[in-house]
Every structure is written in C-alpha cells, then in structure tokens.
Amino acid sequence: METIALKAIALIGTLFASFVGGYLPLWYQQQQRGQAWLTRGHFFAKGIFLGAAILHLLPAANDEFSTAFPDSHYPIMGLVALLTIFLLQAIEHLSMTILGRFSTLSHHITVYILIFTLSIHSLIEGAALGIGAGLAEMSVILIAVLAHKGADAFALVINLQ
C-alpha cells in the first residue's frame, strides 16, 4: 500500500513542480527585471540537463559499455557524447540558417519539437516511476524526477515565448 501512496505523491509532486516551473517565466516576464531572471533561469535549466548527463548518464553508460566490451580501454561513451553535442549544434545551426528566413515557421517547428521530446521524456519518467518495485527505488526515481521537472517546464515555457 505504501507504493501506491508514493505514486500518488509522485503524481501530485510532478504536477506541482511542472506548474511552478512553467509559471515562473510568465511571472518574471511581467516584472521589470524579469528578462535577467529569465536568462539566468534558462542557463540554470541547461545546467541541470548537462549535469544530469555528465554526472549520472555518462558514468552509467561507461560502466555498461565496459561490462559489455571489457577489452576496450578507449572512452567510447565520452566520444559518443561529444559527437552528439557537435551533431546537435550542427543541426541547430543548419535549422536556424535554413529556417531563419521564415522566423515564425522556425519558432513553431522548434516549439513542437520541444513539446514532442519532453512528452516522450515524461512518458519514460512516468513508466520508470510506475514500475518501481520497492519504496527505496521509487523514492530515488521520484527525487530525480522532481529535481528537474520544474526546470523542464521552465525551459519549455521560455522557448514558447
């Protein structure tokens, strides 16, 4: 029964974190010094994503790769992460160059891509919370989800403006 209570708390907590994270850019926009706070918040959200990737995902990927291929001593996962960053920057640069002439179209496409990717991300998070077997496992996942859910919503709303 305690896992059902934690799942209910997770539902309410993620909704609240998303609401607060999504409302803050709208509130800051109405303030006089709001643009400076929006810029800081945007970089904070990017820092959370980068920190999660470097501190959590990359070490786990290195461990899994070294388990699957014990003879490889080159940091393949670091190379993949670096190439992914360069590829995403190239795609962003090309899309802004090509679609830059159609600024409204470019903005709408970017917004729909963000909504789509964050929707998939949220489904995966929900599935991870839903299949958590033990209370400790679910608590760790819940803390991780709540730590960045507000930043996700913050980044999305900033890009919607």
Side-chain angles (χ1 to χ4, degrees), residues 59-118:
N62 277 330
D63 291 344
E64 291 293 325
F65 189 81
S66 64
T67 302
F69 302 100
D71 296 334
S72 176
H73 300 291
Y74 189 78
I76 297 290
M77 293 297 104
L79 178 64
V80 169
L82 185 65
L83 291 175
T84 302
I85 290 170
F86 284 132
L87 178 65
L88 289 174
Q89 289 295 333
I91 290 171
E92 183 178 351
H93 178 72
L94 283 173
S95 67
M96 290 300 133
T97 302
I98 293 169
L99 296 174
R101 293 171 250 168
F102 312 103
S103 62
T104 57
L105 177 64
S106 173
H107 179 72
H108 290 306
I109 289 173
T110 303
V111 166
Y112 286 123
I113 289 171
L114 281 171
I115 290 172
F116 178 72
T117 55
L118 284 176

Side-chain angles (χ1 to χ4, degrees), residues 120-131:
I120 291 173
H121 180 71
S122 294
L123 285 172
I124 292 170
E125 286 176 342
L129 275 169
I131 63 172

Side-chain angles (χ1 to χ4, degrees), residues 6-161:
L6 185 61
K7 289 177 185 181
I9 291 170
L11 175 67
I12 293 168
T14 54
L15 285 174
F16 181 74
S18 297
F19 176 76
V20 170
Y23 181 73
L24 280 176
L26 301 175
W27 183 75
Y28 281 133
Q29 188 178 30
Q30 296 172 354
Q31 307 302 313
Q32 287 183 351
R33 294 181 7 185
Q35 191 60 39
W37 283 104
L38 284 177
T39 303
R40 289 181 189 118
H42 190 67
F43 283 112
F44 177 71
K46 286 185 177 192
I48 287 177
F49 296 142
L50 186 61
I54 291 174
L55 297 175
H56 299 291
L57 299 177
L58 196 55
N62 277 330
D63 291 344
E64 291 293 325
F65 189 81
S66 64
T67 302
F69 302 100
D71 296 334
S72 176
H73 300 291
Y74 189 78
I76 297 290
M77 293 297 104
L79 178 64
V80 169
L82 185 65
L83 291 175
T84 302
I85 290 170
F86 284 132
L87 178 65
L88 289 174
Q89 289 295 333
I91 290 171
E92 183 178 351
H93 178 72
L94 283 173
S95 67
M96 290 300 133
T97 302
I98 293 169
L99 296 174
R101 293 171 250 168
F102 312 103
S103 62
T104 57
L105 177 64
S106 173
H107 179 72
H108 290 306
I109 289 173
T110 303
V111 166
Y112 286 123
I113 289 171
L114 281 171
I115 290 172
F116 178 72
T117 55
L118 284 176
S119 297
I120 291 173
H121 180 71
S122 294
L123 285 172
I124 292 170
E125 286 176 342
L129 275 169
I131 63 172
L135 192 60
E137 180 184 351
M138 287 178 53
S139 298
V140 169
I141 295 171
L142 177 61
I143 290 169
V145 167
L146 291 178
H148 77 276
K149 184 53 73 178
D152 285 348
F154 190 93
L156 177 63
V157 172
I158 284 178
N159 284 301
L160 286 173
Q161 296 176 345

